[in-house]
C-alpha cells in the first residue's frame, strides 16, 4: 500500500546523498508497513558500479530478513530503477516498485539508464558492447548438473 512518507524518505536520502557528493539516489524497502532497509548510491564511495541505492537496499533487506526472496516487500526509490536494479527487483521477488524521477530525468543530468534500456532492446549483434558466445556445449554441463539435482534451492 503506497504511503507518501516512504517515498519522501527515499527522496530525502537521495538529496542528502547528493549533498555529500554521492549519486542523487535513495531507496527504502518496506514490509508490513515498516521500513526494513534503506540504501543510497555508493558507486563512487565503494568504487563499485553495482552499489546503486536499490541494490544497497536489497542487500540490506536480504541480510536483515536472512533470505534472498523479498516477497511481501515494496521498494520506494527516488528514481525509476536502471536495468540492473530492475532486474535485481525481479530476482528478489519484491512485490511492487514506487518511484519518483524517470529514466529520462536521469538522462538529462548525465546518467545512462535510458541508453542501457535502449541497448537491451536491440539484437545482441547491434549493441555497442561487443558480445560473443563461446564454448556453449561445455557451459551447458553446469545447467545439466543443476537440472538433475533433487535437493536444490529454487529461486
Amino acid at each position: 500500500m503506497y504511503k507518501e512518507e516512504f517515498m519522501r524518505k527515499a527522496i530525502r536520502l537521495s538529496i542528502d546523498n547528493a549533498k555529500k557528493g554521492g549519486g542523487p539516489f535513495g531507496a527504502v524497502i518496506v514490509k508490513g508497513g515498516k521500513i526494513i532497509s534503506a540504501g543510497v548510491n555508493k558507486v563512487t564511495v565503494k568504487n563499485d558500479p553495482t552499489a546503486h541505492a536499490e541494490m544497497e537496499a536489497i542487500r540490506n533487506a536480504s541480510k536483515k530478513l536472512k533470505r534472498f526472496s523479498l516477497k511481501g516487500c515494496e521498494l520506494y526509490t527516488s528514481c525509476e530503477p536502471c536495468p540492473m536494479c530492475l532486474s535485481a527487483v525481479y530476482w528478489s521477488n519484491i512485490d511492487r516498485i514506487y518511484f519518483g524521477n524517470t529514466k529520462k530525468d536521469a538522462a538529462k543530468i548525465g546518467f545512462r539508464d535510458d541508453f542501457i534500456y535502449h541497448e537491451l532492446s536491440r539484437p545482441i549483434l547491434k549493441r555497442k558492447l561487443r558480445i560473443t558466445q563461446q564454448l556453449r556445449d561445455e557451459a551447458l554441463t553446469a545447467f545439466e548438473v543443476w537440472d538433475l539435482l533433487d535437493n536444490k534451492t529454487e529461486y
Side-chain angles (χ1 to χ4, degrees):
M1 180 175 80
Y2 174 75
K3 290 199 176 179
E4 286 184 1
E5 68 186 273
F6 301 138
M7 181 57 76
R8 286 197 172 99
K9 175 67 173 175
I11 292 168
R12 272 195 311 277
L13 288 168
S14 71
I15 294 167
D16 292 346
N17 203 50
K19 286 179 179 177
K20 295 175 188 172
F25 304 97
V28 296
I29 294 179
V30 174
K31 180 172 178 31
K34 294 184 181 180
I35 294 175
I36 62 163
S37 74
V40 295
N41 183 288
K42 293 184 179 180
V43 170
T44 58
V45 173
K46 290 185 169 183
N47 289 318
D48 178 355
T50 70
H52 291 198
E54 298 91 339
M55 300 294 282
E56 294 290 303
I58 288 169
R59 289 174 182 138
N60 293 337
S62 293
K63 185 176 183 179
K64 182 174 184 170
L65 296 176
K66 295 181 173 72
R67 58 189 171 114
F68 58 84
S69 177
L70 299 178
K71 189 144 188 62
C73 296
E74 297 176 329
L75 172 68
Y76 289 77
T77 180
S78 63
C79 187
E80 182 176 1
C82 74
M84 174 185 67
C85 293
L86 182 59
S87 296
V89 169
Y90 276 105
W91 281 117
S92 67
N93 299 308
I94 287 174
D95 293 347
R96 186 158 186 171
I97 299 171
Y98 299 98
F99 68 91
N101 296 313
T102 68
K103 60 188 173 191
K104 300 260 187 228
D105 296 329
K108 287 179 187 174
I109 61 168
F111 289 91
R112 300 179 295 166
D113 306 37
D114 198 40
F115 163 76
I116 297 170
Y117 271 109
H118 176 72
E119 279 288 290
L120 291 174
S121 71
R122 300 177 73 174
I124 287 176
L125 296 176
K126 298 215 177 200
R127 294 180 189 166
K128 295 198 182 299
L129 179 63
R130 297 177 80 188
I131 302 171
T132 306
Q133 185 177 23
Q134 298 282 307
L135 303 175
R136 179 175 180 261
D137 291 340
E138 290 180 37
L140 280 173
T141 302
F143 283 9
E144 292 164 357
V145 168
W146 171 261
D147 193 40
L148 294 173
L149 282 178
D150 290 329
N151 62 345
K152 64 183 165 234
T153 301
E154 298 279 352
Y155 58 96

